[in-house]
Amino acid sequence: MAHADETERHDRLTAAGVDALRDSGSLALRTPVEHGGTWSDAPTVARRLTELGRACPSAGWIAGTCATSKTMTALSHSASARKEFFADPDALVCGSGLPSAQGVREAYGLRVTGRWDNVSGCESAEWANLAVMVDGAYHVAAVPLADLTVERNWHMAGMRGTGSQRLVADGLLVPAHRVAQGGPPEPAVQLFLGLCVLAPVVGAAQGALDVVQDMFKSDRKPFMTSYMRMSDSPGARHWLADVASLVNRANTAMFAIADAGEEVNRTEVERAQVRTSLAGAAKDCRSALELLLDLHGSSGFRDSNALQRYWRDVAVGSRHPALNAYLAAEGLGSALVA
């Protein structure tokens, strides 16, 4: 993904970046097979999102939220709504599970008014699957982006290129067949959604490690030492090994969770342990980036250096609610004493 810097400058994916995702099949990972997609399993999705995140964390993140939205649409909506939503199997779609809008039933559908923040990829998406409260009950509405207004309020230190802007509906009439009652995702689905968040973060940590390994292969040496190259320093080699171990541990934990993702008979303790593992993998990625910047030194913070971008993207992405470490620990503690 050679467009990472331009993506960040414009706070959204470039047109070329979206095309690259389409051409690679990354946007069809969770399009149902009957609509021309692959409906890939959790390990396959995690592997692709990690690869994307290694090159451009924002692109990996948007592909992940696209997979999330397509998953929820396929599981929630009627056949007629799915036929419209998945008409283009490679379309970029987006969504929000926060019910920050209200719907009023009318003769031909639902009159919706509200706003949804942090909708990744919405400026490039064709459809959105959005949570709406109707008569006190949780619903989801499939809406073309052309029917919504985008407010550009995404001003963040990291994951800038995700273009996670605000979507607004003002008295929008959504046809009844594109509205469905919803509820909390099943545990296996929740786990998949967490993996879609974690995988680009793990990929970003791998990308940052690539930058520093390239530095070790260069003629750069530690300043104010007699070493001729970074690799001559036993301390630097030790820290590099520590970083590689952290990144590998995060990657291994992620795929262990993905490989077991279809298990439906987990106990509450086991589910809490999985959430703790997801959060722990994200924390390992953050720890790895700190060590990498220590190894690289202050020049790693130059705007032109990809390392600082990876650092910011990991810092923001790893703090998504699905990867919240203290709530994961709280949940595990509660499950253990229940």
Side-chain angles (χ1 to χ4, degrees):
M1 211 38 91
H3 313 282
D5 292 332
E6 188 177 352
T7 287
E8 185 172 72
R9 281 195 300 273
H10 295 285
D11 294 333
R12 60 180 294 184
L13 284 189
T14 63
V18 175
D19 288 343
L21 289 177
R22 289 177 65 97
D23 294 344
S24 68
S26 299
L27 301 181
L29 288 170
R30 292 296 271 192
T31 299
V33 173
E34 61 269 28
H35 294 291
T38 57
W39 195 257
S40 302
D41 60 14
T44 301
V45 174
R47 189 172 299 108
R48 178 67 61 83
L49 298 182
T50 303
E51 292 169 355
L52 292 169
R54 191 169 191 163
C56 176
S58 289
W61 189 273
I62 288 175
T65 57
C66 179
T68 295
S69 186
K70 289 187 172 183
T71 299
M72 299 310 297
T73 299
L75 295 176
S76 302
H77 283 282
S78 66
S80 57
R82 294 197 304 271
K83 184 177 180 180
E84 291 181 76
F85 195 90
F86 295 116
D88 177 358
D90 294 296
L92 173 58
V93 304
C94 61
S96 174
L98 295 177
S100 51
Q102 295 292 323
V104 178
R105 296 187 188 279
E106 296 188 1
Y108 299 103
L110 196 69
R111 187 72 63 179
V112 177
T113 297
R115 54 186 59 199
W116 299 266
D117 282 324
N118 309 323
V119 186
S120 298
C122 62
E123 290 181 281
S124 302
E126 297 177 37
W127 284 85
N129 189 42
L130 302 167
V132 183
M133 295 301 292
V134 184
D135 298 328
Y138 187 96
H139 288 67
V140 286
V143 183
L145 257 293
D147 293 345
L148 299 162
T149 300
V150 176
E151 292 183 356
R152 302 196 90 238
N153 66 336
W154 182 246
H155 309 296
M156 297 289 286
M159 289 292 182
R160 291 179 184 171
T162 62
S164 302
Q165 316 293 355
R166 173 186 292 153
L167 289 179
V168 179
D170 185 8
L172 174 66
L173 182 62
V174 181
H177 75 277
R178 288 206 250 111
V179 179
Q181 188 160 1
E186 295 294 325
V189 178
Q190 290 183 21
L191 176 60
F192 176 78
L193 305 185
L195 287 168
C196 286
V197 172
L198 176 62
V201 173
V202 174
Q206 293 175 349
L209 179 57
D210 292 340
V211 171
V212 173
Q213 284 185 294
D214 287 342
M215 182 194 71
F216 268 76
K217 295 173 185 176
S218 73
D219 292 332
R220 183 177 172 182
K221 68 174 189 176
F223 291 108
M224 301 178 67
T225 72
S226 59
Y227 295 121
M228 298 306 296
R229 296 165 60 98
M230 287 289 296
S231 57
D232 292 338
S233 165
R237 295 197 302 270
H238 186 180
W239 280 32
L240 185 64
D242 285 347
V243 170
S245 295
L246 285 167
V247 174
N248 182 66
R249 186 167 70 184
N251 189 70
T252 300
M254 177 179 68
F255 280 106
I257 295 167
D259 288 337
E262 300 304 319
E263 293 181 12
V264 296
N265 295 319
R266 284 193 176 98
T267 65
E268 184 57 38
V269 169
E270 289 170 335
R271 287 196 292 270
Q273 288 171 333
V274 168
R275 290 192 290 270
T276 303
S277 294
L278 282 169
K283 187 175 181 181
D284 279 344
C285 291
R286 287 202 301 272
S287 298
L289 264 292
E290 293 298 326
L291 287 175
L292 287 170
L293 278 160
D294 286 344
L295 279 169
H296 199 292
S298 57
S299 63
F301 292 95
R302 287 197 181 105
D303 288 345
S304 59
N305 195 313
L307 186 58
Q308 53 81 29
R309 174 170 50 79
Y310 283 118
W311 171 64
R312 289 184 288 102
D313 287 348
V314 167
V316 172
S318 67
R319 288 177 170 86
H320 187 278
L323 306 176
N324 188 303
Y326 71 81
L327 290 181
E330 181 180 312
L332 179 56
S334 297
L336 289 169
V337 300

